[in-house]
Amino acid sequence: SNTVTLLFTNDVESAYDPIPAFWLDDQAMIGGIAEMTTLINDIRRSEPNVFLFDSGDIFTGALAKLTEGRLAFELMITMGYDAMAIGNHEFEYGHEIFAWQTNRAQFPVLGAYFHYHATDHPYAKAHAVIERDGIRIGVIGIMGQDAVSAIIPSFIAPLDVTVPAEAVQRSVDELRDEVDLIVLLTHQGKTAPMQTDAESDPRLQRDIDADINLAGAVAGVDVLFAGHADAGTPEPVVHPETGTIIMQTYGQATHLGYLQLELDPD
């Protein structure tokens, strides 16, 4: 089949239980990892070529802290994630603990242009190729400066994070001719207010401007799944020049992102 189903989350932030959906008229509770996993597995059974991605902020909250992030990774392993980008909350216990916990993951944990300070030595993988049933997806992860600014400085001081567009383009150029689809996972934009339930309240300073700008600055990205701003996109945003499809969920495990594409066999 040339149909590809891309599922995505962002900013789950250890919101493992459903929360009261007081802003919705038609349901009492929303979200939760058990409900989301059931939905993901239903889609895997009913749709072709399903892939699952996360755009960062898997750590934070009491259970993540208690386990130094192990629980977040164990849940993602159980849920069958294919790749994730690194978010600012991943550094809440320092860069060493996060790096150690990534050893547990059987999926790539991506952060292009993360280098140890003043060196060319990478802290994380920039990109990976996920292949299933003959479909190859190149996945790239990137963090933006706003997200870096949301980290306790000493926890990330040993690392340099700069120049997202150049880092992404380098990975795209490496992968483009070898894959059917390039998916960019970003963690940038404006820092979102924590744990708000009012989804698209216009007073919240949330937007995907940084992602739109990045999609315009890089050639060859098919899909951009964003994180950090929790700026939900009920409809995908298509960049007018590059055609990159940009999407993001509201975070907190309240919504599962869904994008189905038909690949042109030529």
Side-chain angles (χ1 to χ4, degrees):
S1 171
N2 291 320
T3 303
V4 178
T5 305
L6 305 179
L7 306 179
F8 62 97
T9 54
N10 54 273
D11 305 278
V12 172
E13 295 173 2
S14 306
Y16 299 141
D17 293 318
I19 58 173
F22 58 81
W23 69 99
L24 297 176
D25 297 330
D26 56 346
Q27 63 189 87
M29 305 290 285
I30 188 169
I33 289 295
E35 289 79 357
M36 181 175 282
T37 305
T38 300
L39 180 58
I40 290 166
N41 288 335
D42 286 347
I43 293 170
R44 283 188 175 124
R45 281 190 290 268
S46 60
E47 305 279 2
N49 302 318
V50 178
F51 295 82
L52 176 61
F53 301 112
D54 183 85
S55 292
D57 279 4
I58 64 170
F59 288 6
T60 206
L63 293 173
K65 186 172 185 180
L66 194 68
T67 62
E68 291 191 323
R70 289 181 193 87
L71 179 60
F73 274 117
E74 286 297 324
L75 285 169
M76 291 180 78
I77 291 165
T78 301
M79 295 165 78
Y81 274 85
D82 289 300
M84 70 168 280
I86 300 171
N88 50 288
H89 279 297
E90 274 65 272
F91 293 96
E92 284 194 3
Y93 326 123
H95 74 285
E96 295 100 335
I97 286 177
F98 177 64
W100 178 248
Q101 300 301 6
T102 62
N103 289 317
R104 184 177 292 268
Q106 58 206 37
F107 52 84
V109 178
L110 304 173
Y113 231 97
F114 265 103
H115 288 108
Y116 286 95
H117 180 60
T119 75
D120 292 327
H121 186 65
Y123 172 76
K125 285 168 67 85
H127 58 254
V129 176
I130 313 293
E131 183 167 358
R132 187 172 305 129
D133 296 329
I135 289 176
R136 287 165 62 87
I137 297 183
V139 191
I140 307 161
I142 199 87
M143 183 189 281
Q145 290 304 306
D146 190 279
V148 173
S149 72
I151 299 167
I152 294 172
S154 63
F155 284 4
I156 198 169
L159 307 179
D160 292 334
V161 190
T162 49
V163 207
E166 285 179 27
V168 172
Q169 192 68 64
R170 184 180 175 201
S171 285
V172 171
D173 293 346
E174 172 77 17
L175 299 173
R176 183 71 268 183
D177 295 341
E178 304 171 24
V179 297
D180 301 298
L181 204 59
I182 286 192
V183 174
L184 172 59
L185 307 174
T186 70
H187 201 86
Q188 53 173 13
K190 292 177 179 164
T191 298
M194 279 294 287
Q195 299 286 5
T196 179
D197 308 320
E199 290 185 359
S200 48
D201 187 322
R203 292 171 299 178
L204 300 176
Q205 290 300 306
R206 298 180 171 187
D207 58 53
I208 56 167
D209 291 357
D211 298 298
I212 293 170
N213 292 340
L214 182 58
V218 177
V221 174
D222 298 302
V223 177
L224 189 162
F225 292 143
H228 191 57
D230 297 2
T233 53
E235 294 293 321
V237 175
V238 180
H239 193 280
E241 287 154 28
T242 59
T244 301
I245 299 167
I246 305 165
M247 297 180 73
Q248 183 167 196
T249 80
Y250 296 104
Q252 317 304 322
T254 55
H255 295 74
L256 176 66
Y258 177 98
L259 175 66
Q260 193 169 78
L261 301 171
E262 288 292 328
L263 299 182
D264 183 338
D266 300 325

